[in-house]
Amino acid sequence: MNFDLFNIIFIIVSIVVALIFIFTFFMMFSPKLKSKIMGQNIKATKYMLNDNEQELKDIATKSAEINRIGVFETAKAIKEGLTSDDNFIKCKYCGSLIDEDSNFCKKCGKKNI
């Protein structure tokens, strides 16, 4: 029984190998078959490119929106940091607002340590 099963498997494998060889031979020497398969490959490639093109446009749009929002938020934080009263103290002598890490008042020039 094992001998019969081995023969059947051998015959099936031989047929598959022969079909692959015949197909490869026709691909090499048959311009009609070659062009037909290449045409299908080109159609498939165009389809994939068109499909991916929209996805790439969507990614670029979302990325631009994220970058725009990020730049806006960063600029807003910088503006708030520069203009908020949290980073300032009042001069001991004249009462004007000066940077909290400043040693001298910009208005009266006196030392504020």
Side-chain angles (χ1 to χ4, degrees):
M1 178 128 187
N2 287 340
F3 185 69
D4 292 331
L5 182 63
F6 178 75
N7 284 339
I8 293 171
I9 292 174
F10 180 76
I11 291 170
I12 292 173
V13 169
S14 299
I15 291 171
V16 170
V17 169
L19 289 174
I20 291 172
F21 178 76
I22 292 169
F23 180 75
T24 305
F25 180 77
F26 279 117
M27 279 292 297
M28 289 173 37
F29 297 109
S30 173
K32 200 176 215 181
L33 181 62
K34 195 173 190 179
S35 65
K36 185 175 183 179
I37 291 175
M38 286 180 71
Q40 290 173 347
N41 288 343
I42 290 170
K43 285 180 186 176
T45 304
K46 285 182 181 178
Y47 176 77
M48 287 188 295
L49 288 174
N50 289 337
D51 190 40
N52 290 337
E53 181 180 4
Q54 186 58 41
E55 289 179 10
L56 290 173
K57 285 180 182 177
D58 292 343
I59 291 169
T61 303
K62 288 177 185 175
S63 178
E65 181 67 21
I66 290 169
N67 288 339
R68 186 185 69 78
I69 291 170
V71 168
F72 177 75
E73 292 295 323
T74 303
K76 182 178 173 185
I78 291 171
K79 182 179 177 185
E80 288 174 357
L82 293 175
T83 58
S84 79
D85 291 339
D86 295 340
N87 297 334
F88 295 100
I89 58 172
K90 287 189 177 187
C91 175
K92 297 178 196 176
Y93 302 102
C94 68
S96 65
L97 290 177
I98 59 172
D99 293 331
E100 65 183 357
D101 60 345
S102 180
N103 291 332
F104 295 92
C105 176
K106 293 179 181 174
K107 187 173 182 182
C108 69
K110 293 187 179 178
K111 194 170 187 173
N112 278 283
I113 295 182

